[in-house]
């Protein structure tokens, strides 16, 4: 598009992956600016572009920053509206998609992190919470191929990056997603058949390794 | 509109007020169904209409429930798009409005409740957090009349219900909003000049009294 688009992001961030999948769906090219999340100091660019939250991802379009992954994805959907609509047209379906994206924001990140940040009894509680939360999402998918219904959309895109953490979640929580959450497993496989998703999701083994390293650094094991 | 619209809500809920202001902006008539928040048992209608979060407000339109206040307000803006647009047309301004509504959701409710739920040292911390959070919002208002810029919109509507809690916040936190946050005070007064806002906001004294009662019931004082 020749329009100065860049993204401050970190490869393993599920929030960043949402934005990268949205940009891939829209065929938008951009410059990837890696924020070093292993450093204790945040880059001056990040602090300048997101002074309120100081968090990645930040999309910079024509010099103007847009922050918060779900806000960015809706911005992308509205600006590049020539192809692959992420939100449906119907207001009720749009509300449904936004409701589930919000649910994922409020519940999923916490229950994924709680699995690798804990051990012993609190890990057992985290395991239960993870399975319960994803059970609710299984209920929402129901007999549909996607969380958004018949087509891949905003709610699916909000959730699918967390599938890069499924292997790690299984290792820490000692369960099998295929056995415990068969609809989630089938849904993740289906989403992964899209090029926009498969090229952005990260190697689950690499994600597991970085979480093992984080556990060691934080003295969890 | 003759379209079977009802709202499960509680009079003092700032989230419910958001929805009521949006409906007032659009001149939409609806049936108000009061949920008894003093009861420990939730109504069967609420449990049926919002089985995931079991929370008010819930808008029921043509028999279909829409949950989560910001999702509902966007739904209202999209369905009744004949007047008073709440979100602007420009994608960057829309992103700005959504960013601030999200900030309010993440920060403001917590810092308002922390003021009435605490005493002693933790109350002092809550006081500091309240002033810091609203200071950030003052910065976002800047020299504009509204948080949304030149006109009242989505971000303003997300925040203004909390002004019904300003008197209580001043009483518990022992500060004056007019003195500490003059731009917030002027902004709230300006918003209150709109009929859609003034007829929905609740009497600050009544809100203060119900919070005093809640403090007693919870053994805070």
């Amino acid at each position: 598009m020749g329009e100065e688009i860049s993204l401050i992001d970190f490869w393993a961030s599920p929030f960043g992956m949402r934005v990268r999948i949205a940009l891939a769906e829209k065929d938008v090219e951009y410059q990837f600016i890696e924020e070093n999340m292993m450093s204790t100091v945040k880059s001056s660019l990040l602090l300048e572009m997101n002074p309120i939250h100081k968090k990645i991802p930040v999309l910079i379009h024509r010099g103007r920053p847009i922050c918060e992954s779900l806000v960015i994805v809706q911005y992308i959907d509205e600006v590049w509206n020539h192809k692959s609509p992420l939100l449906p047209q119907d207001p009720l379906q749009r509300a449904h998609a936004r409701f589930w994206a919000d649910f994922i924001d409020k519940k999923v990140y916490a229950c994924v992190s709680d699995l690798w940040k804990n051990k012993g009894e609190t890990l057992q509680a985290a395991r239960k919470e993870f399975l319960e939360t994803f059970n609710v999402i299984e209920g929402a998918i129901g007999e549909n191929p996607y969380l958004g219904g018949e087509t891949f959309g905003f709610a699916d895109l909000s959730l699918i990056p967390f599938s890069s953490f499924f292997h790690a979640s299984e290792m820490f929580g000692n369960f099998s997603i295929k056995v415990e959450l068969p609809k989630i497993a089938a849904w993740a496989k289906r989403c992964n058949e899209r090029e926009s998703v498969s090229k952005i999701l990260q190697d689950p083994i690499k994600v597991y390794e970085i979480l093992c390293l984080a556990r060691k650094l934080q003295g969890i094991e």
Side-chain angles (χ1 to χ4, degrees), chain A:
Chain A
M1 310 283 289
E3 288 201 273
E4 279 184 64
I5 304 157
S6 50
L7 179 66
I8 314 177
D9 200 353
F10 173 65
W11 67 271
S13 164
F15 302 106
M17 286 184 224
R18 288 174 171 176
V19 177
R20 280 174 267 156
I21 293 170
L23 290 166
E25 283 283 333
K26 302 287 187 176
D27 268 335
V28 174
E29 287 185 18
Y30 58 98
Q31 185 196 0
F32 187 88
I33 304 172
E34 179 96 12
E35 177 76 14
N36 181 5
M37 301 294 280
M38 296 297 134
S39 163
T40 50
V41 182
K42 302 201 175 189
S43 71
S44 55
L45 183 67
L46 178 61
L47 296 177
E48 182 194 336
M49 291 291 154
N50 189 359
I52 306 294
H53 296 302
K54 305 174 181 69
K55 282 183 181 169
I56 56 118
V58 180
L59 184 76
I60 310 172
H61 185 203
R62 299 179 188 144
R64 304 290 296 267
I66 301 108
C67 305
E68 294 296 278
S69 65
L70 294 182
V71 174
I72 302 172
V73 170
Q74 289 179 88
Y75 175 82
I76 290 169
D77 200 31
E78 289 170 0
V79 170
W80 291 279
N81 56 6
H82 63 294
K83 68 169 288 192
S84 307
L86 299 171
L87 276 159
Q89 282 298 309
D90 175 63
L92 191 64
Q93 287 178 30
R94 289 165 77 84
H96 182 267
R98 289 194 179 115
F99 174 88
W100 285 105
D102 175 77
F103 176 88
I104 293 157
D105 255 18
K106 283 178 178 149
K107 301 274 186 179
V108 171
Y109 180 70
C111 78
V112 167
S113 355
D114 283 352
L115 270 180
W116 69 262
K117 284 185 177 167
N118 287 289
K119 60 178 178 181
E121 257 180 51
T122 51
L123 176 60
Q124 286 315 305
R127 182 187 190 279
K128 191 167 166 272
E129 181 69 22
F130 182 100
L131 294 173
E132 279 175 6
T133 300
F134 276 92
N135 235 311
V136 171
I137 300 172
E138 282 216 327
I141 294 174
E143 297 310 314
N144 292 318
Y146 296 103
L147 182 50
E150 284 303 316
T151 51
F152 177 86
F154 187 61
D156 302 283
L157 181 151
S158 304
L159 182 60
I160 194 63
F162 293 97
S163 70
S164 292
F165 295 74
F166 280 179
H167 172 66
S169 302
E170 289 175 318
M171 296 298 282
F172 298 129
N174 191 28
F175 58 75
S176 155
I177 287 178
K178 221 171 183 168
V179 172
E180 304 279 347
L181 301 158
K183 278 188 186 169
I184 293 287
W187 163 85
K189 193 165 172 281
R190 199 171 296 123
C191 292
N192 238 304
E193 284 161 11
R194 294 180 84 80
E195 199 200 336
S196 65
V197 173
S198 62
K199 77 176 184 186
I200 299 300
L201 292 192
Q202 298 295 319
D203 177 1
I205 307 291
K206 227 170 119 189
V207 171
Y208 175 57
E209 285 169 358
I210 201 170
L211 293 180
C212 287
L213 179 66
R215 275 169 75 92
K216 271 186 193 137
L217 288 173
Q218 294 187 20
I220 300 164
E221 61 184 39

